[in-house]
Amino acid sequence: MAEPVATSQIIGSDGFELHPADETAILRELEHYEQPQAACIEALKIVQRRHGWVPDEAIPAIARVLGIGPGAVEGVATFYSLIFRQPVGRHVILVCDSSSCFLTGFDELKQALVDQLGIDYGETTNDSRFTLLPVCCLGACDGAPALMIDDDTYGPVTADDLPGLLEGYP
Amino acid sequence: MSESIPNQRRSVGYRSRLMQTEAERRADTHPLTWRLRDDGEAVWLDEYLRKDGYQSVRKALSEGDPHAIIATMKEANVRGRGGAGFSAGLKWSLTLQGGDRPRGYLICNADEMEPGTFKDRLLMEQQPHLLIEGMILGALANNSRYGYIFLRGEYVEAARVLNRAIEEAREAGWLGPDINGSGFDFDIAVHTGAGRYICGEETALINSLEGKRANPRAKPPFPGQSGAWGKPSVVNNVETLCNVPAVILNGAGWYQGLSGDRTDDGGSKLYGCSGPVDNPGLWELPMGTTGMEILDRAGGLRDNRQLKAWLPGGASTGFLLPEHLELPLDFDTVGKEGSRLGTGLLTVVPDDMSMVSLMRNLEQFFARESCGWCTPCRDGLPWVVKLLQSLEQGQGEPGDIELLDKLAADCGPGLTFCAHAPGAAMPLQTALRHFRHEFEQGVGKPRGEAHQDPIPVGEV
Amino acid sequence: MTMAIIHVDGQQYEVNGAQNLLQACLSLGLDIPYFCWHPAMGSVGACRQCAVRQYKDADDDKGMLVMSCMSPATDQTRISIDDAEAKAFRASVVEWLMINHPHDCPVCEEGGHCHLQDMTVMTGHDRRRYRYRKRTRRNQYLGPFIAHEMNRCITCYRCVRFYNDYAGGSDLGAFGAKDNIYFGRYEDGTLESPFAGNLTEVCPTGVFTDQSHSDHYTRKWDLQFAPGICHQCSLGCNISPGERYGTIRRIENRYHGEVNGYFLCDRGRFGYGYVNRNDRPLVPLWREGAGHPAVTLEVDTALNRITDALRHARRIIGIGSPRASLESNHQLRELVGADNFSTGIEAREQACLDLMNHLQRTSGLPTPTPRQIEDHDAILVLGEDPVQSAGRLGLNLRQAALARREAMGEKIGVPAWNAEALKTLGQNVYHPLHIAWPATTDLDDVAAGRYSLAPDDIARLGFAVAHLIDPAAPAVDQLDQDTRETARRIADDLMAAERPLIVSGGSLASEAVLQAAGNIAQALARRAKQGGLVLIRREANSTGLSLMGGQTLDWALDELNGGRADAVVVLENDLYQRLPPEQVEQALGRADIQVVVDHQSTATTAGAHFTLPAATFAEGDGTLVNLEGRAQRFFQVFEPAYMRPEARIHESWRWLHALTAGLRGEAVSDINLDAVTRACAEAHAALAGIVDAAPGADFRIEGLRLAREPHRYSGRTAMRANLAVSEVRPPQDPDTPFAFSMEGYSGFDQPRQQVPFAWAPGWNSPQAWNKFTDEIGGHLRGGDPGIRLIQREPGHRSYSAAVPPAPGDTTDGSLRALILPRLFGGEETSARAEPIQQRMATPELILNQKDAEALGVREGDSLLIGDGPALTVQEQGEWPSGWAGLPAGLLPGLAQGDTLTLRKAEGGTP
Ligand SMILES: Cc1cc2nc3c(=O)[nH]c(=O)nc-3n(C[C@H](O)[C@H](O)[C@H](O)COP(=O)(O)O)c2cc1C
Ligand code: SF4
Ligand code: FES
C-alpha cells in the first residue's frame, strides 16, 4: 500500500473558490427551470465533480450564484446522500445494502470490502484511494449483490471478484 | 469520474437485460419490449422509427384532440406502474387545464429506488424513444409546457442514453417548438437526483426537482392542481408512460385484451424476480400472470432451497406465502391478500433466511430513507430497527413484539404524512402476522434486563 | 366569515368554517395537542400530534384518524377528540418525540413555559419505554440574542417556517434527513434576521432560548409581570416584561390582535438592558455645574432646593420628550406653563410630525392597524425603511406582499391555513411592493422594485405618482425618463389594487416626501380607492407629543441663548442626541438652573445642577401614542424601592407634580396615575380619549385586583432576606389595578384587556395566549387594548404643490449626510443595552461609486467624518450621488442633509 496521505492534501482543503467554469455551468443549468433554486442540486454536483466533495465554503458561494439563501443550500446539501460533505477518496464505492442484495450475499461482500480495504462505511483508505459507503437498492437486483464504483455498476459481485475489480481504480 | 475502463473489469459489470428473446416478443403482445434488441444495445432513433416509432405521436398530433387521448387512456385503464396503481387516464382528467391556468409540467418518475425493482432502468437504457414518445403524448393530453425526467443519480448509463435520445428527437423535430409541424411545443430535460429513496414519492420528487429538500407535500392540492412551481403537473412512472404510445395507436380495447381473462386489469407488465433464484430477471408478461409462472421462469430457488415467503412488488409491499403463488398478480387481487402489487418485481425469501434479520434489513432501509418530516416515520422507524436488532440478537424483552405491532399500526396510511412509512409498516405487519414465532424466539430477556449495555447508536 | 356547524364528541358547535379543525377546536376552548401548527403560520401536518377521529356522517361509526390541523372545519364535520384510538396515537407521537429529548427540564431554561412540557402532560405520557441510547448534538453560536441547544429539538420545523417563510430570513435552515435533522445556521454566527428573537417563542421547547435572559435566568413562575408597551419605536408593540430582584429579566410578546399579534422585533425584545444599567441615577443629585462632582440629596432636600431655585428664576423653560409618557410631559407643561413648554423635538422633525398628524386626518385614506396592513394588495413605501425604523411593521408589510398567494390559493380551493401549499403556489409572486429608499432594505426580496433616490427625488417620484393617479394633483416637471416609467408602474399597481397602501414617515425629515405621500393618498381617495396611509414616526411617543403640542427644541434653546429664560427643566431627554453639541451646550450653559429628570445618565444629566431619578417603563406607568394614533397604557412592573430601599426612583410625572406643588407653595399631596391621566386628557382636546386607553386603578375582576405574579411565584418571603429577615409588606399600588403579588386574578375565563402574563391551566407556554382570544389569532376577548385618537376628517383638502425643484448639478464635490435609521443602535435607550451593542453592525458610509472615486477611496477603505469616528466605505450600486449614507445614532446632532467633511483615514483601517 502507498504511504498514507492526508485526504485533504490530495482532494483539497476547505480553502475554496468557485471555479469560473463551474459558475458558468451552474448558470447554464438555470435555463431548464422556472426558478434558480432548481439548479441547486446540480450546482452541488458540479462542485463535487471538481473537488470530489462539497466543502463548507462552497455553500455561500453557490447561494450567491443562485441568488438564494445559504440556509437553503446547506439544507439541500445535507439532505441528499450522494452529496459528500467530507473529503472522499479518489474513488467512491457504493455497496447496495437493500433486500435483494441482502438475500444474495451482501453481508459477505461487505465484509470482504471491509477486510480488503481496511475501512468501514464512511471511511477513506489511508492512501485516499477509496471511500466506502452504503447505498439503497441500485436497481440491479437481477445482478445482486451489486455495487458501484464511481459511475460503474457491478453485479453480481463475489468476494473473489473484488481484487480484480478494485485494480481498475488506481 | 474515471473515463475509460479496461475491458477486463467489465467481467462483472452490470447490464440491464430482458430474459425474453426477440423471437418471443411481438408488437401485438409485447408493446413495451418488442423493439428491444437481443444484443442489449439501445434502440436509437433510426431503428425506433423503422419499428413504427413515433407513429402514435404522429396520429395524436394529426387528430389534435387531447380529450380523446385522455378518454382512451381512461378506457384502457392503464394503472400506474409506479406502484400505487392509480389510473393514468383518470389522473390526467383531473389536471387543471384551460381558463387562466398556466400550462404546466409532465414529470416522468424515473427515480426507481424501491428495493427489488429494476424495470425502469431497462426501458430507459435500451429504449429511450418509447419513453419520449409516451411523454409527448402525456404532454399533449395534459397541455404540459415542458417535461422532466427525474432520474436517480446512480443511473449514469440511462442518463447518457436519454440525453442522446432527446437530442436525436429534438433534431428530428419530435421535441421542441412546433412538433412535427403540429404547432404543439414541448421539450424534455433530464434532471438527475442525488440519492434518497423518498425522491420517488411524487410530491417529494417535485420538491427535489425544484431544488429543495425532498419532503413530500400535503395533498390536496394534488400535483394536477398545483405541482412544480405551483403549476398543474403530472407525475407518472417510466413504465406507465411507455404504455401510452401503444394504447393510443392500438386503442383501449386492444390494450384490455392483452391480459386476456387473467384479470380485469389490462395490458402487459414488466414482471421480474430477484433474490436467491437461478435466473433472476425481467419479463414482459400479460397483466395477471401468476407468481408461480414468474418464479418458474426465474428457475426456482437456488441450491434446492424452499420458498418461505415473497414480496410481490418491492420492499414496501406485504409478504405473501408460497400458497399465494397461484394468484394472478394484479393490483386488486394482491391488495385483497393484505399486500400490494407495487412494482410487480418479486423478491424471493428462502427458508433458511431469518425473517427477523430480513425485517431488520428492510426497516433499516426505510428508517434511513425517511425524509424526516413527520414524527411517526422519523422517530418511530428507528425504534422499530432497534427493537428488531434486539430480537435478532436474542436481546428482546417481553412486550417488544406488541410494541412492534403498535409501531407498525401507528405508521399506517393516513397517520403519516406520505406513503413512505406505511410502506415500511406493511412488510412488518405481514411478517409479524405470518412469522410471529420467529420474532418470539428473539425475546431472550426478562423485562427491563436487556441491554445493560445499550445498543450503540448510529446504526441506522 | 363562513359559519359552520361542527360536531365534536357529540356536541354541536358553531365555528368559523374558513379555519381548520384544530384552530376551530382551540377557538372553542377545546384542547387538542399540537406542535407544528402555529396560529400565525398555519398548518403543515408534520408533527402528527393533533390527530382526531373524523366521521363521514352521522351514520359512520368507524371514521378514520385525521390530522385536525390539515382538515377543514367544513359544515357538518363530525369528529371525536376523546376517541380512544386517537388518544393512543397522540400518546405515541409524544412518546416518539421524547425518545431523544433530554430529560433536563430542571436545568432547561424553557422549563415552566414549555409547550412540549404542556403537551406531554396533556397526552398523559409519563413512562419511558425506549431503552436505547439517545442521540446527542453539537450546538452553534448564534449571536448575542439567541442560545442554541439542539438536543432538545423535536423537529417541528416551526423555527425555519417562521424565520424563512414568515420573516424572510435566509441563513437558518433545516439540515440533514431521517432522524438526524438539525436546525441551525449554515455556519456558526449571528442570526441575521432582525426578528430572530421570536424563535424563542415559536420554538415549542428549549432549542432557541433568550440569551439575554439566560445571563440572569429566572423561571417564568418566578417573574413579576405587567402589561408593557415597547418604548423602542413608534409602533407600540405590547410586551410582557418579567422582573425578579429589581431587574428586568426578559421581554416576551404580549398578544395584541391589531398591533403586534404574536411577534416582536429584536430591538424591542432585547433592548431592555438600559433598565438594568448600574450607572442609572438612583437618587436625586446636585452639582455645582458641569464637571463638578455630584452630591447625593435626600428627596425632600432635593425638592426644596429645586423649588427654591426655580422660584427665583425669571422664566423656566420646560423641555419635554417623545420618549416619555404623556402624563410626564403634561406634568412638565403644568410646571412651566404652556407658553414655556417645548416638546424637546428638533424643529424639522416636529414639522414633519405635525404634518403627519394633519395628513392622517385629512388625506382621505384611513390609517390601518398593523394587522390590517396585511390585507393591502399593493404597497408604496415612500422614503422609509420600515424594518429599520419601525421593526415589527416590516413583518406586516412582508405578510401583505406574501398574501398574493392566498388569493391564488382561493382560486383553486387551497385554504389560507394550508401554509406549504400556498408557499408552493406563490413562489416568487407577491403583491406589488414598491420601495423608494436610497439603501438596500430587508424587504427588497419581496419588492417589485426599490428605487435608490435622494430625498427630494423620492418626493418628486411621489408627486409624479399622485399626478398620474389624479391629473388634478400637481405635475412634476423635468422628470427623467426612468423616474417617469417608475412612477407609471407604481401608479398602475396602486390603481389596479383593491386596497393600495402608502407608507411614509419622518426618517428623511422631509416635508416634501410626506406631502407627496399625502397627495398620493388623496389622489387614491378621490378615485374612491379603499386604501390606507401609514406614517412612521421616530420614537415611542412622538405621535403623542405632537398631539399635545409645544414649541420646538430649537425654540427652547433660542430662548435660553437669548437670555429670555434662566432656568430649564428637561424631561427624559438627552438634548445632545437631537441638536449639535455646541448649540446644546451653549444654550444650557446660559441657564442658571438646569434640572433634568431622567432614568439614564446622559450628556444632559452630566451637566445638570439637579438630576432626579425617573422611572423607566418598567418602574412606572403612563400612556404613549403609537403611529396609528393609538393611545396605550404601560404599567409598572415592579417597585424599585422594594428591592433596593436606597433607590428613589419615581415616575417623572410624580417628580414634576411635586415640583409644581412646591413651586405653587402647596403641600405635596399624593397624586395618582388616573388623576394625572385625566388632567392631561382635559388639558388637550386631541388627547381627550386617553382616559379610556386602559381601565383605571379601581378596576377589579371578581372583586380582585389583577395579579402581577403567577400563583406559583416562589420565595417572596425570602426576597429581601439579604437586607432583613422580617418579611415586609409587598408594595401597594395606588395607580393601577394590579397587585405586586400573586394574590389577585390571573385567570383567562373573565375577559380582560390587560394581561400581564399569559397562563391558563395546562398552558404554561406563550401558546397560552390562545386562551385569551375570541378566536385563535383573533382579538383579546376583553378587546384589544388602547384607543385610537386620530380621527379622519371628512371632505377633501387641496393638493400640496410643494414639489421640490429638479436637482441642480452637484458638481461642487461636497457630500451631504443621508442618515439611515437602523434597528440596532439607531435608538437612544436600546442602544445602551449590551446585547444590542454587540449586534450593531460596524458603522459604514455608503457612497456612490463616482463619489468614492472622487474621494480616492474604495469599498472597505476608511473615512473620517470631521474629527468624528472612522467609517468603512461601502459602495452601493445605485446609491444617489452627492449623498453619503450613514447610520442613525452614530453622530448625534447631525441632521439629515448636513454637509459632511470627509477625510481619508491615515494608515488604512483604524
Ligand atoms: C416512498 C415512495 C417512493 C416511491 N418511489 C417511486 C419510484 O421510485 N418510482 C415511481 O415511479 N414511483 C414511486 N413512487 C410512487 C409515486 O409516488 C407515484 O405514485 C408514481 O410516480 C405515480 O406514477 P404512476 O401513476 O405512473 O405509477 C413512490 C412512492 C413512495 C411513497
Ligand atoms: S412518512 Fe413522513 S417522514 Fe416518512 S418519508 Fe413520508 S413525510 Fe417523510
Ligand atoms: S399540529 Fe397538526 S400535524 Fe402538527
Side-chain angles (χ1 to χ4, degrees):
Chain A
M1 272 208 176
E3 281 290 291
V5 184
T7 316
S8 57
Q9 280 178 15
I10 288 192
I11 311 154
S13 67
D14 261 15
F16 178 83
E17 242 178 273
L18 192 59
H19 195 283
D22 291 351
E23 180 158 346
T24 314
I26 293 171
L27 290 172
R28 200 173 320 118
E29 279 298 316
L30 299 183
E31 292 164 17
H32 298 310
Y33 308 104
E34 251 184 57
Q35 302 277 339
Q37 167 131 25
C40 187
I41 298 171
E42 196 54 39
L44 291 162
K45 294 207 299 193
I46 288 169
V47 167
Q48 181 159 302
R49 232 166 274 147
R50 181 172 305 276
H51 299 265
W53 62 299
V54 179
D56 289 347
E57 285 75 3
I59 301 300
I62 290 172
R64 178 183 51 76
V65 174
L66 297 179
I68 61 176
V73 179
E74 177 75 358
V76 167
T78 53
F79 186 91
Y80 294 98
S81 47
L82 296 183
I83 303 297
F84 309 137
R85 296 305 305 283
Q86 284 171 27
V88 291
R90 290 191 297 283
H91 308 289
V92 177
I93 304 177
L94 301 172
V95 227
C96 174
D97 62 359
S98 293
S99 42
S100 295
C101 292
F102 181 75
L103 286 160
T104 51
F106 155 78
D107 277 337
E108 296 76 35
L109 179 62
K110 153 89 195 295
Q111 195 52 50
L113 279 163
V114 170
D115 292 345
Q116 293 184 27
L117 296 170
I119 51 169
D120 208 326
Y121 285 153
E123 295 176 352
T124 301
T125 53
N126 282 340
D127 58 1
S128 298
R129 186 168 156 207
F130 291 112
T131 297
L132 186 64
L133 290 169
V135 71
C136 66
C137 179
L138 280 173
C141 317
D142 51 345
L147 54 73
M148 269 185 100
I149 307 180
D150 300 340
D151 283 351
D152 311 318
T153 307
Y154 298 98
V157 182
T158 64
D160 296 341
D161 297 329
L162 279 179
L165 199 58
L166 299 178
E167 215 172 89
Y169 297 87
Chain B
M1 265 184 178
S2 53
E3 308 262 302
S4 67
I5 304 139
N7 263 341
Q8 38 124 14
R9 241 192 305 108
R10 291 268 179 209
S11 58
V12 282
Y14 173 81
R15 300 221 63 182
S16 189
R17 65 205 168 120
L18 190 74
M19 303 292 276
Q20 292 158 305
T21 60
E22 270 181 78
E24 195 182 335
R25 295 179 267 117
R26 295 198 316 274
D28 56 342
T29 54
H30 292 70
L32 295 170
T33 59
W34 68 272
R35 300 179 178 94
L36 292 187
R37 301 158 55 96
D38 276 349
D39 65 5
E41 292 300 319
V43 178
W44 297 111
L45 185 63
D46 286 347
E47 182 173 354
Y48 187 68
L49 287 172
R50 274 201 310 282
K51 295 178 172 169
D52 287 349
Y54 289 105
Q55 288 306 324
S56 188
V57 164
R58 198 186 294 275
K59 173 170 176 244
L61 284 176
S62 69
E63 285 165 9
D65 182 2
H67 301 293
I69 303 179
I70 295 177
T72 310
M73 284 295 288
K74 256 170 123 167
E75 203 190 328
N77 192 23
V78 180
R79 300 184 65 171
R81 305 296 199 239
F86 191 77
S87 155
L90 187 54
K91 188 189 285 186
W92 294 4
S93 70
L94 298 173
T95 307
L96 289 185
Q97 288 194 41
D100 57 355
R101 294 305 307 163
R103 289 177 69 188
Y105 298 97
L106 184 86
I107 303 165
C108 169
N109 188 341
D111 200 53
E112 195 160 67
M113 259 186 248
E114 176 80 19
T117 305
F118 45 97
K119 65 186 178 67
D120 298 340
R121 179 201 276 269
L122 174 92
L123 292 171
M124 292 185 288
E125 286 183 355
Q126 300 186 21
Q127 199 176 207
H129 285 288
L130 183 65
L131 176 59
I132 295 170
E133 184 169 9
M135 286 183 72
I136 299 171
L137 293 165
L140 254 172
N142 292 287
N143 193 28
S144 314
R145 185 179 80 75
Y146 202 78
Y148 294 103
I149 299 174
F150 190 102
L151 185 68
R152 66 177 295 188
E154 295 92 333
Y155 278 8
V156 183
E157 172 71 3
R160 194 183 60 78
V161 172
L162 284 169
N163 275 316
R164 178 170 153 192
I166 288 171
E167 198 50 49
E168 279 187 332
R170 205 178 281 136
E171 269 170 30
W174 295 107
L175 286 176
D178 192 17
I179 291 179
N180 205 31
S182 65
F184 184 73
D185 66 294
F186 177 70
D187 211 331
I188 298 175
V190 176
H191 176 105
T192 58
R196 293 258 168 248
Y197 169 68
I198 192 61
C199 292
E201 197 285 333
E202 57 181 0
T203 56
L205 180 146
I206 293 175
N207 267 334
S208 188
L209 179 70
E210 290 183 11
K212 296 171 182 162
R213 297 162 58 78
N215 295 129
R217 293 174 175 177
K219 296 185 272 194
F222 295 92
Q225 300 166 278
S226 169
W229 299 286
K231 310 291 188 302
S233 304
V234 177
V235 182
N236 274 122
N237 172 258
V238 174
E239 186 187 347
T240 311
L241 289 166
C242 285
N243 269 304
V244 182
V247 171
I248 298 306
L249 200 61
N250 303 329
W254 165 84
Y255 185 79
Q256 277 291 321
L258 285 179
S259 55
D261 49 13
R262 290 174 186 82
T263 165
D264 291 340
D265 286 343
S268 62
K269 170 94 194 69
L270 272 182
Y271 287 104
C273 186
S274 68
V277 290
D278 271 334
N279 297 309
L282 274 176
W283 301 268
E284 180 177 6
L285 298 169
M287 193 58 143
T289 302
T290 64
M292 183 64 85
E293 180 176 348
I294 296 164
L295 188 57
D296 276 350
R297 281 180 181 258
L301 271 79
R302 256 184 235 163
D303 310 325
N304 294 322
R305 281 185 278 186
Q306 295 300 308
L307 179 70
K308 178 174 185 170
W310 52 292
L311 293 166
S316 64
T317 59
F319 283 104
L320 294 176
L321 301 173
E323 70 213 47
H324 296 120
L325 284 174
E326 304 297 338
L327 299 172
L329 290 177
D330 64 36
F331 290 100
D332 297 337
T333 310
V334 182
K336 280 191 204 105
E337 298 302 323
S339 184
R340 300 185 308 125
L341 177 60
T343 59
L345 276 73
L346 281 48
T347 308
V348 162
V349 185
D351 53 356
D352 57 352
M353 181 76 225
S354 150
M355 286 309 284
V356 180
S357 298
L358 180 58
M359 269 327 301
R360 190 259 304 151
N361 172 272
L362 288 175
E363 296 303 337
Q364 268 178 329
F365 168 83
F366 286 109
R368 186 182 69 197
E369 297 304 321
S370 164
C371 79
W373 178 251
C374 71
T375 311
C377 176
R378 178 189 63 238
D379 291 327
L381 294 182
W383 195 0
V384 168
V385 171
K386 295 204 176 71
L387 287 167
L388 290 168
Q389 285 174 327
S390 296
L391 293 170
E392 197 180 6
Q393 296 160 14
Q395 299 271 321
E397 292 185 1
D400 281 0
I401 295 174
E402 291 71 18
L403 190 52
L404 283 174
D405 282 333
K406 171 79 172 129
L407 282 163
D410 283 344
C411 286
L415 299 178
T416 58
F417 192 76
C418 83
H420 177 81
M426 189 178 253
L428 179 59
Q429 275 173 324
T430 48
L432 285 168
R433 184 176 328 129
H434 299 313
F435 305 96
R436 203 170 187 86
H437 56 281
E438 289 193 37
F439 293 85
E440 280 163 355
Q441 280 162 16
V443 179
K445 297 274 175 158
R447 187 187 277 279
E449 285 188 20
H451 309 307
Q452 307 266 313
D453 301 319
I455 288 189
V457 283
E459 285 276 303
V460 184
Chain C
M1 178 159 123
T2 37
M3 294 312 289
I5 303 291
I6 65 169
H7 306 260
V8 184
D9 288 311
Q11 291 271 3
Q12 179 171 320
Y13 301 94
E14 197 175 65
V15 299
N16 178 351
Q19 299 184 340
N20 58 69
L21 286 171
L22 175 60
Q23 193 177 9
C25 287
L26 292 173
S27 291
L28 293 169
L30 305 169
D31 285 348
I32 302 177
Y34 62 87
F35 288 109
C36 62
W37 174 81
H38 185 282
M41 300 190 294
S43 313
V44 293
C47 74
R48 317 308 277 180
Q49 183 61 71
C50 64
V52 298
R53 184 173 292 280
Q54 179 167 14
Y55 303 94
K56 276 205 282 298
D57 50 43
D59 298 331
D60 179 9
D61 58 357
K62 280 186 68 195
M64 59 188 273
L65 297 193
V66 300
M67 298 308 129
S68 56
C69 73
M70 294 299 281
S71 311
T74 35
D75 199 35
Q76 295 307 327
T77 300
R78 286 162 195 276
I79 58 169
S80 166
I81 301 171
D82 263 349
D83 172 74
E85 213 181 302
K87 272 177 146 167
F89 180 73
R90 297 196 299 256
S92 292
V93 173
V94 163
E95 189 174 16
W96 296 322
L97 293 175
M98 295 303 285
I99 281 180
N100 288 302
H101 188 82
H103 285 51
D104 67 344
C105 302
V107 299
C108 171
E109 293 183 4
E110 193 76 0
H113 75 143
C114 175
H115 186 61
L116 176 60
Q117 274 180 336
D118 290 349
M119 296 300 102
T120 307
V121 172
M122 189 182 286
T123 50
H125 171 66
D126 60 2
R127 290 289 177 281
R128 188 169 181 78
R129 289 192 291 177
Y130 184 84
R131 61 174 187 267
Y132 307 94
R133 253 187 231 163
K134 289 180 187 183
R135 166 198 67 202
T136 52
R137 314 239 201 224
R138 195 181 73 82
N139 301 320
Q140 285 184 315
Y141 170 76
L142 297 176
F145 293 161
I146 309 282
H148 195 217
E149 175 46 89
M150 259 308 289
N151 283 328
R152 299 178 185 142
C153 179
I154 56 161
T155 328
C156 71
Y157 289 85
R158 267 191 187 182
C159 54
V160 282
R161 291 181 52 224
F162 170 77
Y163 194 92
N164 298 334
D165 302 349
Y166 194 91
S170 67
D171 52 330
L172 190 81
F175 309 139
K178 56 186 176 104
D179 65 338
N180 183 30
I181 307 267
Y182 189 95
F183 298 95
R185 265 189 109 245
Y186 69 101
E187 62 183 21
D188 275 45
T190 301
L191 286 169
E192 288 160 20
S193 168
F195 305 104
N198 294 302
L199 292 177
T200 64
E201 293 188 50
V202 158
C203 171
T205 174
V207 177
F208 298 99
T209 53
D210 180 339
Q211 181 64 53
S212 77
H213 183 207
S214 184
D215 295 340
H216 47 202
Y217 182 73
T218 302
R219 293 264 174 237
K220 178 176 182 174
W221 67 68
D222 277 342
L223 289 169
Q224 172 163 259
F225 303 92
I229 301 296
C230 178
H231 276 49
Q232 276 29 94
C233 86
S234 67
L235 192 59
C237 291
N238 288 211
I239 54 173
S240 179
E243 170 269 355
R244 180 81 171 178
Y245 296 123
T247 51
I248 292 294
R249 301 304 174 102
R250 71 155 192 233
I251 284 180
E252 280 205 328
N253 183 69
R254 180 164 64 95
Y255 186 83
H256 189 294
E258 290 297 338
V259 180
N260 46 291
Y262 295 90
F263 305 122
L264 299 174
C265 81
D266 286 2
R267 183 202 269 179
R269 185 183 298 270
F270 301 111
Y272 63 85
Y274 64 93
V275 175
N276 300 342
R277 281 180 75 103
N278 49 24
D279 63 350
R280 275 184 61 184
L282 287 182
V283 293
L285 297 175
W286 172 78
R287 263 191 207 87
E288 208 174 307
H292 289 263
V295 179
T296 302
L297 298 181
E298 289 301 324
V299 169
D300 288 340
T301 323
L303 289 174
N304 287 338
R305 288 182 58 177
I306 298 172
T307 39
D308 265 0
L310 293 179
R311 203 172 293 126
H312 288 104
R314 270 182 297 124
R315 183 169 170 233
I316 318 167
I317 297 290
I319 300 180
S321 167
R323 66 164 159 89
S325 68
L326 286 177
E327 286 83 349
S328 294
N329 278 291
H330 170 71
Q331 212 53 56
L332 174 63
R333 190 169 167 277
E334 288 293 286
L335 173 70
V336 300
D339 293 343
N340 301 320
F341 177 72
S342 156
T343 58
I345 301 170
E346 171 264 329
R348 265 207 299 175
E349 185 182 350
Q350 181 144 325
C352 288
L353 288 170
D354 291 342
L355 179 54
M356 287 193 261
N357 292 345
H358 174 71
L359 292 173
Q360 216 165 324
R361 291 199 189 95
T362 62
S363 75
L365 291 186
T367 297
T369 66
R371 180 209 188 98
Q372 288 165 347
I373 286 177
E374 300 179 2
D375 299 330
H376 289 75
D377 52 354
I379 300 171
L380 169 62
V381 178
L382 199 69
E384 269 296 341
D385 182 353
V387 173
Q388 303 298 328
S389 60
R392 170 72 176 85
L393 195 80
L395 276 184
N396 299 110
L397 291 171
R398 178 174 292 277
Q399 304 323 304
L402 294 178
R404 169 94 181 272
R405 48 182 67 164
E406 282 171 36
M408 296 174 76
E410 215 175 299
K411 276 196 188 158
I412 61 164
V414 179
W417 45 260
N418 194 343
E420 283 288 324
L422 289 187
K423 191 175 142 197
T424 296
L425 259 184
Q427 303 191 35
N428 288 10
V429 288
Y430 311 105
H431 279 143
L433 165 64
H434 297 273
I435 305 173
W437 182 252
T440 55
T441 83
D442 273 1
L443 291 170
D444 289 359
D445 61 319
V446 289
R450 185 181 57 78
Y451 317 107
S452 207
L453 300 170
D456 276 356
D457 291 319
I458 289 176
R460 286 166 58 80
L461 172 68
F463 278 111
V465 170
H467 176 70
L468 285 168
I469 294 170
D470 179 3
V476 182
D477 37 60
Q478 291 180 290
L479 215 52
D480 62 75
Q481 176 75 12
D482 256 13
T483 313
R484 260 208 313 273
E485 277 165 21
T486 303
R488 164 60 60 199
R489 271 200 312 279
I490 296 172
D492 286 350
D493 280 345
L494 294 177
M495 281 308 289
E498 261 169 53
R499 286 178 306 279
L501 179 72
I502 311 302
V503 181
S504 190
S507 286
L508 293 174
S510 161
E511 286 182 70
V513 166
L514 290 165
Q515 292 286 16
N519 274 13
I520 303 172
Q522 192 172 354
L524 289 167
R526 288 200 191 181
R527 300 285 295 265
K529 278 283 171 195
Q530 305 284 309
L533 174 68
V534 173
L535 298 169
I536 297 171
R537 279 76 159 183
R538 185 165 137 202
E539 283 159 282
N541 208 9
S542 297
T543 313
L545 216 54
S546 60
L547 290 174
M548 178 179 280
Q551 304 285 351
T552 65
L553 177 57
D554 310 56
W555 169 88
L557 297 187
D558 263 5
E559 293 300 293
L560 293 170
N561 255 330
R564 290 182 290 281
D566 54 353
V568 60
V569 180
V570 182
L571 165 68
E572 301 183 28
N573 201 337
D574 179 13
L575 309 183
Y576 292 90
Q577 300 281 329
R578 300 186 187 268
L579 284 172
E582 321 77 58
Q583 195 184 339
V584 174
E585 197 174 340
Q586 194 194 355
L588 292 179
R590 301 284 309 262
D592 297 334
I593 308 161
Q594 296 175 43
V595 183
V596 180
V597 193
D598 205 345
H599 47 75
Q600 299 298 309
S601 299
T602 67
T604 309
T605 59
H609 301 112
F610 294 97
T611 307
L612 295 174
T616 62
F617 71 90
E619 297 124 347
D621 317 294
T623 307
L624 304 174
V625 184
N626 79 348
L627 55 76
E628 300 166 82
R630 179 189 302 268
Q632 303 191 98
R633 200 101 71 235
F634 59 93
F635 294 98
Q636 184 176 7
V637 183
F638 66 102
E639 174 52 49
Y642 184 66
M643 283 317 306
R644 292 201 232 174
E646 76 281 11
R648 296 289 179 269
I649 290 172
H650 297 287
E651 292 96 341
S652 297
W653 50 262
R654 273 212 152 80
W655 284 117
L656 293 165
H657 166 74
L659 291 179
T660 313
L663 204 55
R664 292 179 186 160
E666 297 163 6
V668 180
S669 60
D670 203 13
I671 189 183
N672 62 28
L673 176 71
D674 288 345
V676 69
T677 307
R678 216 174 309 116
C680 176
E682 281 162 12
H684 310 278
L687 301 174
I690 64 170
V691 174
D692 300 322
D698 54 358
F699 179 79
R700 297 289 182 274
I701 289 181
E702 295 171 344
L704 299 171
R705 281 177 171 265
L706 308 178
R708 277 187 171 92
E709 296 166 1
H711 66 274
R712 295 192 185 110
Y713 194 89
S714 62
R716 192 179 79 195
T717 52
M719 233 14 184
R720 285 165 38 112
N722 60 328
L723 304 170
V725 286
S726 70
E727 182 195 347
V728 292
R729 186 170 176 243
Q732 303 302 299
D733 189 343
D735 297 312
T736 82
F738 302 98
F740 289 108
S741 162
M742 71 282 266
E743 284 106 355
Y745 185 77
S746 60
F748 68 93
D749 43 347
Q750 297 291 333
R752 56 182 169 140
Q753 292 190 334
Q754 299 296 342
V755 187
F757 59 92
W759 181 85
W763 296 82
N764 296 285
S765 81
Q767 298 291 312
W769 284 111
N770 293 341
K771 291 285 180 190
F772 291 83
T773 46
D774 54 1
E775 66 172 343
I776 304 303
H779 304 277
L780 289 183
R781 268 185 285 126
D784 290 319
I787 186 141
R788 298 282 290 266
L789 298 178
I790 304 179
Q791 307 305 336
R792 244 190 316 156
E793 292 165 8
H796 293 310
R797 62 163 188 134
S798 52
Y799 282 108
S800 162
V803 185
D809 224 6
T810 49
T811 40
D812 66 343
S814 70
L815 287 174
R816 302 172 66 194
L818 213 168
I819 299 164
L820 304 167
R822 61 169 167 162
L823 197 63
F824 304 122
E827 187 273 330
E828 185 192 338
T829 51
S830 61
R832 295 168 165 265
E834 205 182 301
I836 301 282
Q837 290 173 346
Q838 289 181 49
R839 187 68 172 76
M840 291 180 200
T842 42
E844 286 179 331
L845 191 82
I846 309 176
L847 291 177
N848 172 294
Q849 196 184 350
K850 238 179 41 217
D851 292 335
E853 270 167 28
L855 283 165
V857 289
R858 272 179 308 163
E859 175 110 12
D861 284 355
S862 273
L863 271 179
L864 295 166
I865 304 183
D867 359 292
L871 293 141
T872 313
V873 172
Q874 194 205 347
E875 288 175 18
Q876 257 184 30
E878 300 154 347
W879 180 262
S881 75
W883 295 83
L886 69 170
L890 188 71
L891 287 174
L894 186 76
Q896 212 55 281
D898 283 358
T899 303
L900 295 172
T901 352
L902 297 170
R903 305 185 275 120
K904 215 172 149 177
E906 304 293 324
T909 7

